[in-house]
């Protein structure tokens, strides 16, 4: 513990004497020379992986494969065992789509008039799914677009707008949800339930409108990233079997119009309806119910895409456990290797180096793997170190691995995922995704206590982080999972540093090797996470979802 001053010591004494326990916030551990040295080891991996020669590690690119070779060489050097399909590699096949915005067009049809929209400025077309070549369909606004019959909430089937009335229509919705629904559930509804509801209702497309509060960075960057190739898992003979075991992991290969609308231009959709976008945003910001109504206009679009395919591997390494029976169970540490590749010059730079996103996480997995391997005491369960491809394309590598693991599926007991864990200030607190869902919270808090780190839940659930990192693929497969980031308190300097990082560097060419990083704090985090993984690997019982968790239903 760090030193406390004389005044606070007296206050502490007074509190003890009066029988009260003073609340001293966790202060982290003092930085030691060992932390500093370990931090340099961690940073060396980040430097290698975010080097210009890796060209931003786009899924399937030469740069990605070079980065994969680096990871494999480190796995080898740490004395781990290959646990992929071919050595450390688990090949994954992708369909690739690039939307050619200059050969595509979108317009609104209002009272027989055609109002063209500017692609990039007004809206962007998604490259993730399969877009129709041309489409003309009426637009309807369905509030938050949440389909959660299990929670007795359904924007797709309401008194104002019945499920059956959505057939042949394009649904428009805004991000967020009512305050009485748990945050993780609202995030979940943005994934498989949305796809299923659209298909079951016979809708022909969807348009999402982010609320300004839910945007990590300005529209310009969202628009710039729209020229990125989108990817899907290629159709695979095992798909049906995976879908039968894990319905939430099923990837739908169906044609559906999909776009995102610029909130600053959203009134083009709402004009003439008696509703203004600002009024709807105010309700969404207050987590209040939204109305659902016809938009009294149609959308017409012609979409030109360029389609190809690519193969890109996940990487899997194993450290065998010491217990004759528990060694058949696995605790996973995971991170993603892919990033955004290269783009048009911005500030004179073309490479999306992805130093924090997620070279930092891969570097931590490598460092923790090395420390496990060097330790005299093997954990009872086996450790699996898994590096994913295709994360930036929609958690695809992890989704593939969770549905088709290279070790017996029932043996996977937990996943700890690292995705830009943000060591940009000292480590005192961690924000964890999935903290209220499983018994892993007990373990995280116990080990956090030993390291004097406070473990807290997600303070910004509207950012949907829960479904935006690879731990979510394991949640969908019923595996207890946590993803953690350096935490802050509201309006603190740390909070400002975090928001500034999102606004200026996240998914931009500025997430490179020239940025402030607290390497000793990163090493302290690695030490914490290693201890946490070891605790779970050594425990007699497996971690499990809580009865109170919605995601309990996915546990097998
Ligand atoms: Zn990312």
């Amino acid at each position: 513990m760090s030193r406390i001053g004389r005044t606070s010591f007296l206050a502490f004494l007074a509190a003890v004497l009066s029988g009260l326990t003073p609340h001293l916030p966790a202060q982290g551990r003092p930085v030691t020379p060992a932390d500093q040295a370990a931090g340099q080891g961690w940073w060396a991996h980040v430097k290698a992986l975010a080097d210009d020669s890796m060209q931003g590690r786009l899924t399937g690119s030469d740069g990605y494969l070079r980065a994969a070779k680096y990871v494999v060489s480190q796995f080898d050097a740490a004395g781990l065992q290959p646990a992929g399909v071919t050595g450390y590699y688990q090949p994954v096949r992708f369909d690739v789509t690039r939307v050619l915005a200059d050969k595509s067009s979108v317009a609104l049809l209002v009272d027989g008039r055609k109002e063209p929209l500017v692609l990039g400025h007004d809206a962007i077309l998604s490259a993730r799914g399969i877009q129709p070549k041309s489409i003309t369909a009426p637009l309807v606004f369905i509030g938050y677009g949440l389909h959660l019959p299990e929670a007795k909430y359904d924007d797709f089937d309401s008194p104002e707008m019945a499920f059956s009335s959505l057939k042949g229509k394009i649904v428009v919705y805004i991000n967020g949800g009512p305050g009485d629904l748990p945050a993780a559930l609202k995030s979940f509804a943005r994934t498989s339930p949305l796809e299923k509801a659209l298909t079951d209702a016979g809708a022909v497309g969807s348009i999402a409108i982010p609320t300004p509060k839910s945007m990590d960075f300005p529209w310009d960057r969202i628009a710039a990233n729209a020229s990125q190739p989108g990817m899907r898992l290629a159709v695979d003979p095992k798909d049906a079997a995976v879908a039968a075991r894990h319905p939430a992991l099923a990837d739908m290969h169906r044609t559906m119009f999909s776009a995102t609308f610029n909130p600053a231009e959203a009134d083009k959709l709402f004009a003439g309806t008696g509703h203004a976008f600002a009024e709807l945003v105010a309700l969404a910001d207050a987590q209040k119910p939204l109305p659902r109504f016809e938009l009294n206009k149609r959308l017409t679009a012609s979409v030109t895409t360029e389609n190809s395919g690519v193969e890109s591997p996940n990487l899997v390494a194993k450290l065998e456990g010491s217990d004759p029976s528990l060694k058949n169970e696995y605790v996973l540490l995971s991170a993603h290797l892919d990033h955004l590749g290269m783009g048009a010059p911005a500030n004179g730079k073309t490479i999306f180096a992805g130093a924090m996103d997620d070279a930092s996480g891969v570097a931590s997995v490598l460092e923790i793997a090395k420390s496990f391997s060097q330790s005299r005491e093997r954990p009872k369960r086996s450790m699996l170190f898994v590096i994913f491809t295709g994360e930036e394309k929609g958690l695809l590598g992890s989704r593939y691995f969770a549905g088709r693991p290279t070790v017996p599926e029932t043996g996977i007991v937990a996943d700890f995922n690292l995705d830009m864990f943000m060591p940009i200030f000292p480590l005192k607190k961690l924000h964890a995704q999935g903290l209220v869902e499983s018994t892993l919270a007990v373990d995280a808090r116990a080990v956090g206590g030993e390291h004097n780190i406070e473990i807290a839940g997600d303070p910004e659930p509207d950012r949907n982080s829960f479904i935006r990192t690879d731990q979510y693929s394991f949640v969908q497969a019923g595996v207890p999972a946590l993803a953690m980031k350096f935490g802050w308190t509201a309006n603190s300097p740390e909070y400002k540093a975090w928001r500034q990082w999102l606004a200026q560097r996240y998914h931009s060419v500025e997430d490179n090797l020239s940025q402030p990083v607290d390497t000793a704090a990163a090493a302290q985090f690695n030490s914490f996470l290693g201890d946490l993984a070891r605790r779970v690997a050594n425990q007699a019982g497996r971690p499990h979802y809580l009865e109170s968790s919605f995601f309990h239903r996915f546990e097998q």
Side-chain angles (χ1 to χ4, degrees):
M1 197 179 337
S2 62
R3 290 188 317 181
I4 49 176
R6 187 179 149 79
T7 323
S8 55
F9 177 71
L10 289 177
F12 172 80
L13 203 61
V16 170
L17 291 177
S18 69
L20 297 168
T21 310
H23 177 74
L24 293 177
Q27 290 299 318
R29 286 194 292 107
V31 170
T32 65
D35 292 331
Q36 273 157 347
Q40 288 311 308
W42 170 81
W43 183 242
H45 297 310
V46 179
K47 278 204 323 213
L49 295 169
D51 188 81
D52 279 357
S53 64
M54 301 298 179
Q55 298 181 311
R57 310 185 304 276
L58 182 71
T59 293
S61 68
D62 291 346
Y64 179 89
L65 288 176
R66 262 194 295 283
K69 284 198 181 113
Y70 176 84
V71 170
V72 162
S73 73
Q74 297 299 315
F75 280 161
D76 258 338
L80 303 176
Q81 294 172 34
V85 173
T86 311
Y88 294 102
Y89 294 88
Q90 179 188 39
V92 186
R93 289 214 42 82
F94 299 92
D95 293 334
V96 184
T97 296
R98 202 182 279 271
V99 172
L100 305 178
D102 52 348
K103 291 183 183 159
S104 303
S105 65
V106 183
L108 298 174
L109 298 173
V110 192
D111 301 330
R113 284 191 330 274
K114 191 170 181 176
E115 296 178 359
L117 298 173
V118 179
L119 279 173
H121 178 72
D122 292 315
I124 54 167
L125 299 171
S126 165
R128 164 85 171 92
I130 304 170
Q131 295 274 10
K133 287 191 171 60
S134 71
I135 186 171
T136 300
L139 295 168
V140 291
F141 180 69
I142 58 162
Y144 294 112
L146 301 173
H147 173 66
L148 290 166
E150 305 92 332
K152 299 192 169 42
Y153 183 90
D154 200 350
D155 285 319
F156 280 77
D157 193 13
S158 61
E160 306 99 293
M161 205 169 287
F163 198 66
S164 57
S165 73
L166 302 178
K167 194 170 166 51
K169 294 182 182 164
I170 294 172
V171 303
V172 177
Y173 63 88
I174 67 179
N175 191 47
D180 50 0
L181 284 176
L185 203 52
K186 285 185 266 191
S187 294
F188 165 70
R190 298 277 167 235
T191 58
S192 52
L194 176 63
E195 293 189 26
K196 187 171 169 6
L198 287 168
T199 306
D200 291 354
V204 292
S206 66
I207 297 177
I209 317 175
T211 59
K213 202 173 105 178
S214 70
M215 287 161 67
D216 285 341
F217 44 67
W219 176 260
D220 288 358
R221 203 180 306 155
I222 296 178
N225 286 346
S227 59
Q228 277 265 324
M231 296 189 190
R232 299 178 296 285
L233 289 177
V235 178
D236 177 300
K238 287 193 189 133
D239 283 353
V242 173
R245 287 200 309 282
H246 305 297
L249 281 179
D251 210 5
M252 295 195 185
H253 294 86
R254 44 103 187 89
T255 302
M256 186 74 74
F257 177 80
S258 174
T260 303
F261 217 91
N262 182 354
E265 300 294 340
D267 273 323
K268 290 180 178 165
L269 295 171
F270 295 99
T273 64
H275 295 275
F277 182 61
E279 156 215 332
L280 301 169
V281 168
L283 291 170
D285 282 350
Q287 303 196 320
K288 290 194 170 144
L290 285 177
R292 302 143 182 130
F293 49 89
E294 306 276 344
L295 289 171
N296 304 324
K297 46 185 80 72
R298 289 180 298 157
L299 179 131
T300 184
S302 104
V303 188
T304 305
T305 58
E306 205 175 67
N307 302 297
S308 56
V310 78
E311 188 177 294
S312 186
N314 289 326
L315 308 168
V316 195
K318 179 169 103 167
L319 181 88
E320 194 165 79
S322 60
D323 184 276
S325 119
L326 287 179
K327 73 175 185 187
N328 298 315
E329 296 185 350
Y330 298 85
V331 173
L332 270 59
L333 280 178
S334 58
H336 74 90
L337 184 60
D338 68 297
H339 192 52
L340 303 173
M342 319 227 314
N347 307 340
K349 303 177 185 108
T350 56
I351 297 171
F352 290 89
M356 288 297 115
D357 187 10
D358 183 27
S360 67
V362 175
S364 287
V365 173
L366 294 177
E367 284 294 284
I368 297 168
K370 188 171 73 183
S371 79
F372 266 94
S373 165
Q374 287 171 350
S375 159
R376 258 169 296 153
E377 222 177 306
R378 283 282 163 102
K380 290 181 180 159
R381 289 191 176 81
S382 296
M383 295 294 307
L384 209 60
F385 305 100
V386 193
I387 303 299
F388 300 120
T389 189
E391 189 276 345
E392 303 287 9
K393 303 304 176 188
L395 315 185
L396 298 180
S398 59
R399 176 185 263 233
Y400 188 86
F401 183 88
R404 303 160 178 81
T406 55
V407 296
E409 188 172 326
T410 50
I412 299 179
V413 309
D415 173 58
F416 295 105
N417 189 63
L418 289 164
D419 195 353
M420 39 183 263
F421 66 97
M422 301 312 294
I424 57 173
F425 41 75
L427 176 57
K428 299 174 188 169
K429 183 177 186 179
L430 288 166
H431 286 151
Q433 296 297 334
L435 196 64
V436 296
E437 314 298 342
S438 78
T439 55
L440 290 177
V442 176
D443 302 304
R445 290 209 164 101
V447 179
E450 291 161 16
H451 288 249
N452 202 14
I453 299 167
E454 180 187 348
I455 311 293
D458 180 1
E460 298 177 310
D462 284 350
R463 292 184 58 245
N464 284 325
S465 300
F466 183 69
I467 58 165
R468 285 169 57 187
T469 61
D470 288 312
Q471 110 284 350
Y472 184 60
S473 295
F474 293 94
V475 173
Q476 289 171 301
V479 175
L482 283 184
M484 284 175 275
K485 269 186 180 33
F486 275 42
W488 33 259
T489 45
N491 301 318
S492 62
E494 290 85 358
Y495 172 75
K496 288 193 187 101
W498 157 241
R499 290 314 302 197
Q500 200 176 23
W501 188 89
L502 284 179
Q504 293 176 358
R505 298 185 190 270
Y506 181 41
H507 279 202
S508 94
V509 292
E510 304 301 334
D511 179 12
N512 58 20
L513 294 169
S514 315
Q515 60 178 313
V517 179
D518 189 335
T519 55
Q524 291 184 330
F525 174 80
N526 295 341
S527 156
F528 158 81
L529 191 60
D531 285 356
L532 175 54
R534 185 176 284 277
R535 174 182 160 110
V536 174
N538 282 337
Q539 247 160 19
R542 295 169 68 135
H544 57 85
Y545 278 88
L546 303 176
E547 293 285 342
S548 57
S549 169
F550 177 83
F551 302 100
H552 178 64
R553 71 193 58 205
F554 297 139
E555 212 164 34
Q556 313 256 315

